[in-house]
């Protein structure tokens, strides 16, 4: 059910705007449930409600923010007064303002006024706590009965029903009502040689409860991932061609987006600051943001500035086509807004970013979600076929399934890339022994230019991004 408290809070807050200021207000109401077991013991079973209101006040180029955890009118008044008070501590920057009428038209906002988007599971309240707990117990039992499993470390379930609202004095107002359900597990498998047990985890997140119906296959995925890297040993230092698993490619994609962040470009501290329109990757590489497909997990009609979203290319056929902008970064760089503002929470400014990324081969510029295989977890018989083809292309090299050190081993501003890695040695196109305790190194530009081929295992991730495994040449491997 749509939470009317959010709409009332938005409209009340908007009504407090003074004539000489711009006002942006956001509010939300969440109902959450979480439960988990650790080593077979139920250690969490909790329901909660949370509320939030946030405001951004803009006057004479200065910006003030404030937020509250209540939606009552007194709290909203106090929140807005505090934001006005905070204006005193802000430096004037006239690029910080609400979207202009021209910017609204650029993003094809057909009609200003109230818009309500409802994506919530209509049966949300019909799902009992007993059903949720039974799912956890059944998934745990499924893994415990697998002879390869040594220990089920944790199994968890969570769901959320939310209503959020956004409005500003420029005439933009919209509301979203949605739901999210998730279940996941972590386990270890038995070691055959006492060189080290494998650890595997899997997570399933969906918009509707019924879409979790294949949750027991998470057990198979956990066991598969864990046994793949069990009994791993270090390997020798070398330069190798590498197939990167989708999980690793997801991290690589996030790093590429960081490198191309327009905030860094504004400060001239990005490697791509002077490369707009230039080739920065193999011509096979295309990356774009397309959150406009209602069927997608990354779907959103509006960005964090309240502008309509659209399809935008970051890299097309290897060329840097543009940046993902919020209104501020677009103005600072003298470029057009493109609906790529990402909300960083109520009572704060938006960030430039992406909503639903596609990392695809350039002949798939028109790639849509229905083109993704969208495998259910555990469908390894089907899932392995397109990956097998990529391993055959590799012939001899490494299949990297897991990396560590994203926060410390990657510098999006300098492009250096040095991460701990685990995976499996590939010989004659076949998986061989597992390895660990190695470091893989390259630069982001070299990685982008050394992409040899894309796997055909395109999948929509839980995050909403669509990508595949990648074959990349000339990766430095630091071992023994």
């Amino acid at each position: 059910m749509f939470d009317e408290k959010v709409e009332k809070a938005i409209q009340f807050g908007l009504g407090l705007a003074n004539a000489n200021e711009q006002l942006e207000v956001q509010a939300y109401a969440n109902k959450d449930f979480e439960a988990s077991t650790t080593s077979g013991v139920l250690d969490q079973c909790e329901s909660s409600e949370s509320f939030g209101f946030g405001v951004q006040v803009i006057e004479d180029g200065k910006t003030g923010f404030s937020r509250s955890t209540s939606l009552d009118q007194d709290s909203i008044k106090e929140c807005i007064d505090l934001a006005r008070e905070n204006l005193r501590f802000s430096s004037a920057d006239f690029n910080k303002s609400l979207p202009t009428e021209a910017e609204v038209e650029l993003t094809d906002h057909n009609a200003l006024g109230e818009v309500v988007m409802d994506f919530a599971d209509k049966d949300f309240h019909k799902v009992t706590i007993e059903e949720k707990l039974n799912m956890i117990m059944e998934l745990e039992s499924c893994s415990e009965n697998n002879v390869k499993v040594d220990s089920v470390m944790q199994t968890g379930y969570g769901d959320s029903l939310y209503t959020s609202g956004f409005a500003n004095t420029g005439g933009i107002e919209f509301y979203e009502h949605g739901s999210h359900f998730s279940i996941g597990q972590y386990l270890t498998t038995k070691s055959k040689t006492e060189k080290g047990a494998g650890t595997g985890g899997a997570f399933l997140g969906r918009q509707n409860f019924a879409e979790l119906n294949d949750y027991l296959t998470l057990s198979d995925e956990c066991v598969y991932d864990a046994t793949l890297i069990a009994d791993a040993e270090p390997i020798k230092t070398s330069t190798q061609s590498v197939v990167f698993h989708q999980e690793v490619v997801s991290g690589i994609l996030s790093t590429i987006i960081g490198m191309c962040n327009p905030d860094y470009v504004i400060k001239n501290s990005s490697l791509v600051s002077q490369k707009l329109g230039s080739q920065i990757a193999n011509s096979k590489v295309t990356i774009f943001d397309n959150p406009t497909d209602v069927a997608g997990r990354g779907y959103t009609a509006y960005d964090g500035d309240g502008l309509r979203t659209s399809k935008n290319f970051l890299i097309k056929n290897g060329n840097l086509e543009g940046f993902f902008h919020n209104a501020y970064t677009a103005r600072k760089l003298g470029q057009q807004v493109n609906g790529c503002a990402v909300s960083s929470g109520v009572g704060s400014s938006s960030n430039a970013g992406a909503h639903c990324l596609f990392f695809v081969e350039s002949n798939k510029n028109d790639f849509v979600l229905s083109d993704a295989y969208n495998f259910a977890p555990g469908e390894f018989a089907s899932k392995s076929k397109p990956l097998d083809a990529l391993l055959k292309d590799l012939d001899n090299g490494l299949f990297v399934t897991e990396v560590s050190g994203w926060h410390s081993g990657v510098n999006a501003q300098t492009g250096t890339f040095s991460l701990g890695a685990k995976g499996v040695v590939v010989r004659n196109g076949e998986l061989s022994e597992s390895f660990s305790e190695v470091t893989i190194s390259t630069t982001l530009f070299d990685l982008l230019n050394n992409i040899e081929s894309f796997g055909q295992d395109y999948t929509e991730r839980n995050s909403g991004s669509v990508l595949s495994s990648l074959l990349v040449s000339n990766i430095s491997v630091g071992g023994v």
Side-chain angles (χ1 to χ4, degrees):
M1 179 179 176
F2 182 83
D3 196 323
E4 295 180 353
K5 292 192 291 291
V6 170
E7 185 175 16
K8 290 178 179 178
I10 290 288
Q11 294 180 354
F12 177 76
L14 205 60
L16 297 177
N18 294 331
N20 60 337
E21 67 187 8
Q22 295 180 321
L23 208 67
E24 177 189 284
V25 294
Q26 298 182 56
Y28 69 83
N30 290 348
K31 293 183 178 180
D32 300 301
F33 174 82
E34 289 182 288
S36 64
T37 59
T38 301
S39 300
V41 178
L42 183 66
D43 56 6
Q44 182 184 28
C45 184
E46 180 181 6
S47 298
S48 62
E49 288 188 341
S50 59
F51 303 91
F53 178 88
V55 61
Q56 176 181 191
V57 179
I58 304 171
E59 184 178 352
D60 297 330
K62 294 186 175 183
T63 306
F65 299 97
S66 185
R67 63 176 64 90
S68 171
T69 56
S70 173
L71 299 183
D72 69 69
Q73 292 188 353
D74 288 341
S75 296
I76 291 172
K77 287 179 182 178
E78 182 180 3
C79 186
I80 294 176
D81 287 341
L82 284 171
R84 289 174 178 144
E85 179 72 12
N86 290 336
L87 284 171
R88 297 189 299 116
F89 307 101
S90 172
S91 300
D93 185 341
F94 287 93
N95 287 298
K96 293 182 178 179
S97 68
L98 297 183
T100 65
E101 185 175 341
E103 288 170 337
V104 170
E105 290 177 355
L106 272 173
T107 56
D108 194 29
H109 197 303
N110 296 324
L112 297 182
E114 182 178 330
V115 178
V116 178
M117 298 169 287
D118 192 347
F119 309 113
D121 189 333
K122 301 300 184 291
D123 295 325
F124 185 94
H125 295 290
K126 295 181 181 179
V127 184
T128 66
I129 292 178
E130 287 75 16
E131 286 180 87
K132 301 170 186 180
L133 296 180
N134 283 339
M135 290 174 67
I136 295 175
M137 299 304 180
E138 287 178 5
L139 180 55
E140 181 151 335
S141 176
C142 183
S143 296
E144 286 178 340
N145 291 331
N146 190 313
V147 295
K148 296 180 180 179
V149 173
D150 179 55
S151 172
V152 178
M153 294 183 290
Q154 188 171 53
T155 307
Y157 170 93
D159 60 43
S160 178
L161 183 69
Y162 66 89
T163 300
S164 62
F166 177 107
N168 63 34
T169 50
I172 295 174
E173 183 177 354
F174 61 88
Y175 300 88
E176 182 173 330
H177 185 47
S179 57
H180 187 262
F181 302 83
S182 63
I183 186 167
Q185 186 175 75
Y186 292 93
L187 55 75
T188 60
T189 52
K190 298 172 182 175
S191 173
K192 295 179 181 178
T193 62
E194 298 184 358
K195 293 175 182 174
T199 302
F203 169 86
L204 189 61
R206 295 292 184 264
Q207 182 175 297
N208 294 296
F209 181 77
E211 294 174 342
L212 295 180
N213 64 334
D214 55 356
Y215 69 95
L216 290 179
T217 60
L218 288 169
S219 175
D220 294 332
E221 184 166 355
C222 289
V223 172
Y224 177 84
D225 289 347
T227 53
L228 200 62
I229 59 172
D231 304 309
E233 292 185 289
I235 55 176
K236 292 182 179 180
T237 296
S238 60
T239 298
Q240 298 272 7
S241 290
V242 173
V243 168
F244 288 110
H245 185 276
Q246 286 182 10
E247 192 70 31
V248 181
V249 175
S250 181
I252 291 171
L253 178 58
S254 295
T255 304
I256 295 168
I257 300 305
M259 179 180 72
C260 298
N261 188 317
D263 286 311
Y264 293 148
V265 175
I266 290 168
K267 299 171 185 175
N268 203 31
S269 60
S270 168
L271 288 174
V272 298
S273 293
Q274 307 299 324
K275 293 187 178 295
L276 189 61
S278 302
Q279 184 169 346
I280 66 169
N282 188 308
S283 61
K284 298 176 181 178
V285 176
T286 288
I287 298 174
F288 61 87
D289 180 40
N290 187 12
T292 63
D293 190 330
V294 178
R297 293 169 206 152
Y299 169 78
T300 181
Y302 298 91
D303 76 350
D305 289 329
L307 297 175
R308 288 296 299 268
T309 56
S310 60
K311 180 178 180 179
N312 293 286
F313 285 90
L314 178 70
I315 298 173
K316 187 175 183 179
N317 302 327
N319 294 314
L320 182 63
E321 289 284 300
F323 301 109
F324 298 144
H325 284 300
N326 63 3
Y328 175 75
T329 61
R331 292 169 191 152
K332 288 288 285 186
L333 290 173
Q335 298 173 9
Q336 291 186 352
V337 294
N338 51 17
C340 289
V342 177
S343 174
S344 50
V346 297
S348 57
S349 59
S350 68
N351 294 315
H355 306 282
C356 186
L357 288 165
F358 288 69
F359 189 179
V360 298
E361 197 167 2
S362 292
N363 61 8
K364 300 183 185 297
N365 284 345
D366 296 324
F367 197 100
V368 294
L369 287 174
S370 59
D371 294 327
Y373 287 153
N374 227 340
F375 294 114
E379 289 183 357
F380 303 112
S382 300
K383 196 173 184 178
S384 65
K385 291 178 182 177
L387 181 58
D388 283 350
L390 199 60
L391 296 177
K392 294 295 184 186
D393 289 343
L394 172 63
D395 193 26
N396 292 290
L398 304 178
F399 176 36
V400 173
T401 61
E402 182 180 334
V403 298
S404 58
W406 284 114
H407 297 293
S408 58
V410 176
N411 189 318
Q413 292 175 266
T414 64
T416 56
F417 187 107
S418 182
L419 300 167
K422 296 179 180 180
V424 185
V425 176
V426 178
R427 290 192 176 87
N428 300 318
E430 300 290 337
L431 296 177
S432 185
E433 71 274 13
S434 55
F435 68 86
S436 64
E437 299 179 36
V438 304
T439 301
I440 55 172
S441 304
T442 184
T443 69
L444 287 172
F445 279 157
D446 285 343
L447 187 147
L448 284 167
N449 281 283
N450 289 331
I451 293 175
E452 299 291 337
S453 54
F454 289 72
Q456 295 307 304
D457 54 341
Y458 285 105
T459 309
E460 184 185 17
R461 310 282 297 170
N462 285 314
S463 65
S465 296
V466 174
L467 45 80
S468 71
S469 302
L470 289 178
L471 170 55
V472 184
S473 60
N474 295 316
I475 300 294
S476 296
V477 179
V480 293

